[in-house]
């Protein structure tokens, strides 16, 4: 039986990853300091004897007993509101946390999978974004703590690969949504759904012409798993290439939630990327992966889950 350590295991993506790996027959240890994660996300996994949880901050020293075959480093605040509230923890999770988890992978001879991000492309000057694009990041702006932490973590993973021959993988994760997103994490998906369900004004930042491309969580987790099982060490974009303006997105959610909400326009936050859309040719070709869940279907499932909870 293979053993996996998932940092950020009580978070939105981390908890789905733990669940998926258990289903694939792995033994899973989730690690989280619970600053943005929540034990409720993994309470249903607690009954499995192949699952365990360790409360730990990855930016401190990590002790883990026994064999580890895969280290998946997913710990970090990830919503712009969260990482702007906790920029220092975010920088530490990406730098010290990546160093510590790479150290575990080296010591245990484990494969290492890094949760990187489309934010490494910053406010991209090319669209869609290919893995070969180096990005347009403001290091000292309000998004800098997250963007640079992730860019540093990619550099460190590649250094461990080159120097120590650790089998590292880098998933550049684009906007992902689905059940277990925190209703108050400030991101566009929970914000719009909560506003629509409560018939409150839907708050568009800027003129709504900026674009995002949203990937449903089950698709994302499958992509991560395929990358983890592959022999690729260079970054791979994992996301859904269906691009929408935020204004279109607001109308879509309004319709799905059958809402009477008005649409209102607010100030665009600093350094908010104008366009974001993954080029997933590499994932299609090398991982034989592409998303299957369309936006309407995924949003309906997410709205249903939020209503229930
Ligand atoms: N956004 C918005 N209204 C909200 C929340 C976000 O118009 O209530 C916009 C935000 O300015 C950005 C896009 O939606 O252009 C996606 O924002 P999110 O916070 O989900 O993540 P990002 O993709 O910017 O990291």
């Amino acid at each position: 039986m293979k053993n996996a350590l998932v940092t950020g295991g009580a978070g939105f993506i981390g908890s789905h990853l733990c669940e998926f790996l258990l289903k694939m027959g792995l033994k899973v240890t989730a690690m989280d300091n619970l600053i943005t994660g929540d034990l409720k996300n993994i309470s249903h996994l607690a009954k499995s004897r192949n699952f365990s949880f360790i409360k730990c901050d990855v930016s401190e020293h990590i002790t883990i007993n026994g064999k580890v075959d895969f280290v998946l480093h997913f710990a970090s605040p990830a919503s712009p509101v969260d990482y702007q509230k906790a920029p220092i923890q975010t920088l530490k999770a990406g730098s010290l946390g990546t160093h510590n988890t790479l150290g575990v992978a080296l010591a245990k001879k484990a494969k290492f999978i890094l949760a990187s991000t489309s934010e490494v492309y910053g406010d991209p000057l090319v669209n869609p974004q290919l893995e070969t694009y180096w990005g347009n990041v403001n290091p000292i702006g309000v998004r800098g703590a997250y963007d640079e932490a992730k860019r540093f973590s990619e550099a460190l993973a590649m250094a461990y690969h080159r120097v120590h021959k650790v089998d590292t993988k880098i998933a550049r994760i684009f906007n992902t949504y689905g059940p277990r997103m925190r209703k108050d994490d400030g991101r566009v998906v929970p914000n719009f759904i909560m506003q629509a369900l409560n018939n409150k004004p839907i708050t568009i930042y800027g003129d709504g012409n900026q674009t995002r491309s949203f990937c449903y969580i089950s698709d994302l987790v499958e992509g991560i798993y395929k990358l983890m099982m592959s022999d690729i060490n260079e970054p791979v974009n994992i996301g859904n290439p269906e691009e929408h303006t935020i204004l279109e997105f607001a109308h879509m959610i309004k319709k799905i939630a059958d809402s009477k909400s008005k649409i209102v326009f607010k100030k665009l936050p600093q350094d908010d990327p104008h366009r974001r859309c993954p080029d997933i040719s590499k994932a299609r070709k090398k991982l034989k992966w592409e998303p299957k869940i369309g936006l309407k279907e995924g949003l309906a499932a997410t709205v249903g889950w939020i209503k229930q909870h």
Side-chain angles (χ1 to χ4, degrees):
M1 196 169 205
K2 299 281 187 197
N3 292 27
L5 169 67
V6 181
T7 75
F12 162 50
I13 296 182
S15 65
H16 283 279
L17 202 51
C18 290
E19 194 173 319
F20 188 86
L21 295 176
L22 284 169
K23 270 194 206 131
M24 299 309 286
L26 280 87
K27 210 168 164 176
V28 176
T29 303
M31 188 172 269
D32 208 298
N33 67 358
L34 303 175
I35 70 161
T36 57
D38 191 331
L39 286 179
K40 279 206 285 282
N41 290 336
I42 47 172
S43 56
H44 63 298
L45 305 178
K47 53 183 181 297
S48 163
R49 63 191 164 82
N50 292 325
F51 181 74
S52 55
F53 174 74
I54 302 173
K55 184 163 186 263
C56 171
D57 187 329
V58 287
S59 49
E60 310 286 334
H61 183 75
I62 298 172
T63 308
I64 178 124
N65 299 321
K67 109 183 154 89
V68 180
D69 302 286
F70 300 96
V71 176
L72 298 105
H73 182 34
F74 279 65
S76 176
S79 98
V81 169
D82 286 344
Y83 63 67
Q84 286 172 42
K85 261 191 223 152
I88 297 170
Q89 280 108 320
T90 303
L91 280 157
K92 286 170 81 175
S95 55
L96 305 175
T98 305
H99 191 217
N100 291 334
T101 48
L102 277 164
V104 173
L106 176 63
K108 304 278 182 181
K109 300 190 169 48
K111 289 189 190 219
F112 180 85
I113 299 90
L114 175 69
S116 185
T117 169
S118 53
E119 282 283 322
V120 300
Y121 302 122
D123 187 3
L125 303 176
V126 297
N127 198 62
Q129 293 83 55
L130 261 176
E131 289 88 347
T132 46
Y133 179 50
W134 291 352
N136 177 39
V137 170
N138 175 1
I140 56 163
V142 290
R143 288 182 174 247
Y146 184 68
D147 300 9
E148 295 299 355
K150 291 293 186 183
R151 288 170 69 97
F152 175 85
S153 65
E154 286 198 4
L156 196 59
M158 289 311 293
Y160 266 65
H161 174 62
R162 293 188 183 112
V163 176
H164 295 304
K165 312 287 175 238
V166 176
D167 189 359
T168 56
K169 281 113 194 16
I170 298 172
R172 289 193 180 148
I173 299 172
F174 283 65
N175 293 62
T176 302
Y177 71 101
R180 296 191 209 139
M181 285 190 98
R182 259 180 32 239
K183 290 188 278 287
D184 62 349
D185 82 0
R187 282 190 272 207
V188 70
V189 177
N191 270 15
F192 283 7
I193 294 179
M194 291 301 290
Q195 291 162 344
L197 289 176
N198 294 310
N199 292 311
K200 296 249 172 74
I202 295 181
T203 54
I204 291 191
Y205 302 157
D207 60 10
N209 284 323
Q210 71 271 37
T211 67
R212 293 295 185 273
S213 312
F214 297 95
C215 186
Y216 192 64
I217 183 68
S218 58
D219 281 332
L220 181 98
V221 162
E222 202 190 293
I224 302 286
Y225 182 74
K226 288 196 165 171
L227 176 62
M228 158 176 159
M229 292 307 184
S230 76
D231 56 6
I232 305 173
N233 299 116
E234 304 286 318
V236 181
N237 288 340
I238 308 281
N240 191 318
E242 189 187 320
E243 187 181 7
H244 290 276
T245 67
I246 292 300
L247 186 59
E248 283 166 7
F249 190 63
H251 283 293
M252 230 177 191
I253 290 194
K254 210 181 134 173
K255 200 165 165 202
I256 289 168
D258 196 16
S259 167
K260 298 186 184 59
S261 294
K262 290 187 302 190
I263 289 182
V264 298
F265 295 87
K266 304 245 170 178
K267 195 171 166 280
L268 187 70
Q270 190 198 335
D271 294 339
D272 199 285
H274 289 88
R275 293 191 74 176
R276 184 183 290 152
C277 177
D279 182 317
I280 60 163
S281 317
K282 190 170 182 181
R284 278 198 174 110
K285 188 165 167 223
K286 297 208 169 168
L287 305 178
K288 306 272 175 279
W289 173 86
E290 65 181 357
K292 298 185 208 111
I293 311 283
L295 189 52
K296 281 190 189 135
E297 185 188 347
L299 280 178
T302 311
V303 168
W305 183 84
I306 290 189
K307 268 188 187 165
Q308 262 181 15
H309 291 78

